[in-house]
Every structure is written in C-alpha cells, then in structure tokens.
C-alpha cells in the first residue's frame, strides 16, 4: 500500500510504501530508502519495532488524517494520505493548509515556553510553543504562514491532550 506523508513544516509529501511480509514483519520504503521492520503492538498505541536491527518504542496518536508520533522523546505530527485521499485533496486543492489553524497539545504536559504573542506574523514551520511531555521538550510549530490571532498557552501551566494553545490565521 502506498501512502504520502508530510511532517509539519515540510513542503512536499514523501511517498511511503508499506508491504506486509507476515508474522508482524513489513518492508517499508520511504522515498528511495527501504527498511525491514518487525513490529509488535503493545498497550495504548505503542509499537515495539526492530528497524534494520535497531530497537525502537514508538507511540502513535491518530487525529483524523494526522498522526502524532513519539519517537526518541520527540513528538512529530505527520499528515498521512493514501493515493485515493491524495487525489481527492489535489482535486480540492486542499493539501496545503488554509484558513484558521488551531495548534493543540499533542499529549498532556506543561507549557515551558511561549515563543509568540498575539499579533505576531509567523512563517510556516516557525516555533510557537514549547511543551514538556514525558520529560522531553517538544516545540510545536506553525502549520502555515500567517498571524497569531489567539494565544491560550501560558508558561508554567499544565495542559491536557488536545488542549488549545495557539490559533494562526
């Protein structure tokens, strides 16, 4: 199965081919690089993975077409679309981010730094807020170029999963 992935701040989607080999093993090709993966599902959306002999624990959280991935203490937001959905998006010209965008907390944590204020002009991929979760700091970035119109994040406050942090228009 072919998917197209795009991390926040990335301009172009990257093709990812996933081929099940049986017994929880997969061949995954990302761009021009192929990996042999042995994946074992654990509790709460966590996978224990052997990728080309290297061991990783990876946590996933789905939110529509977007998947939050916690790997090596870093949370990444990745937009995932199969070929059909990508064609639909292209037909609607909706693959790029448009309109008012709400940036939310990827998991429960604490706001350790607010990098913007209301009225600031921001670039796509620019850091907005730093949230500490699971003893790691995660810089949440702007999904588009625009203006910060609302700011809910306050340094030192605890936030729940999907808590509203910043709105960029």
């Amino acid at each position: 199965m072919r998917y197209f992935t795009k991390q926040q701040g990335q301009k172009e989607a990257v093709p990812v081919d996933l081929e099940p080999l049986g017994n929880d093993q997969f061949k995954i090709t990302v761009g021009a690089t192929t990996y042999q993966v042995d994946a074992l599902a654990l509790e709460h959306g966590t996978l224990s993975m052997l990728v080309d002999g290297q061991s990783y624990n990876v946590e996933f959280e789905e939110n529509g077409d977007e998947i939050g991935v916690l790997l090596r203490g870093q949370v990444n937001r990745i937009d995932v679309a199969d070929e059909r959905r990508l064609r639909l998006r292209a037909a609607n010209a909706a693959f790029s981010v448009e309109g008012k965008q709400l940036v939310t907390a990827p998991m429960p944590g604490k706001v350790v730094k607010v990098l913007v204020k209301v009225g600031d002009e921001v670039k796509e991929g620019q850091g907005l807020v730093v949230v500490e979760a699971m003893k790691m700091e995660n810089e949440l970035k702007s999904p588009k170029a625009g203006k910060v119109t609302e700011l809910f994040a306050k340094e030192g406050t605890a936030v729940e999963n999907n808590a509203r942090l910043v709105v960029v228009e």
Side-chain angles (χ1 to χ4, degrees), residues 49-73:
M49 301 173 67
L50 282 174
V51 180
D52 291 338
Q54 295 281 81
S55 179
Y56 302 93
N57 279 337
V58 184
E59 292 184 34
F60 296 95
E61 179 183 84
E62 291 185 46
N63 186 8
D65 288 344
E66 187 178 81
I67 298 176
V69 179
L70 175 64
L71 174 65
R72 295 183 184 157

Side-chain angles (χ1 to χ4, degrees), residues 57-98:
N57 279 337
V58 184
E59 292 184 34
F60 296 95
E61 179 183 84
E62 291 185 46
N63 186 8
D65 288 344
E66 187 178 81
I67 298 176
V69 179
L70 175 64
L71 174 65
R72 295 183 184 157
Q74 180 69 37
V75 175
N76 290 297
R77 291 273 191 227
I78 301 172
D79 182 80
V80 178
D82 61 17
E83 290 181 278
R84 178 180 167 273
R85 182 164 305 276
L86 192 63
R87 281 194 303 272
L88 287 170
R89 287 178 178 176
N92 295 331
F95 195 76
S96 62
V97 178
E98 300 287 329

Side-chain angles (χ1 to χ4, degrees), residues 12 30 42 54-55 74 76 100-101 117 125 131-134 151 166 169:
E12 297 292 322
V30 180
L42 304 174
Q54 295 281 81
S55 179
Q74 180 69 37
N76 290 297
K100 183 175 176 177
Q101 295 297 308
K117 60 187 180 304
V131 176
E132 182 181 279
M134 300 175 66
L151 182 62
V166 181
E169 284 191 63

Side-chain angles (χ1 to χ4, degrees), residues 4 8 15 20-21 24 50 69 74 78 85 91-92 100 103 115 124 130 142 146 157 163 166 169:
F4 295 87
Q8 264 186 347
L21 302 174
D24 296 326
L50 282 174
V69 179
Q74 180 69 37
I78 301 172
R85 182 164 305 276
N92 295 331
K100 183 175 176 177
V103 177
L115 306 171
E124 182 177 344
V130 178
S142 180
T157 60
V166 181
E169 284 191 63

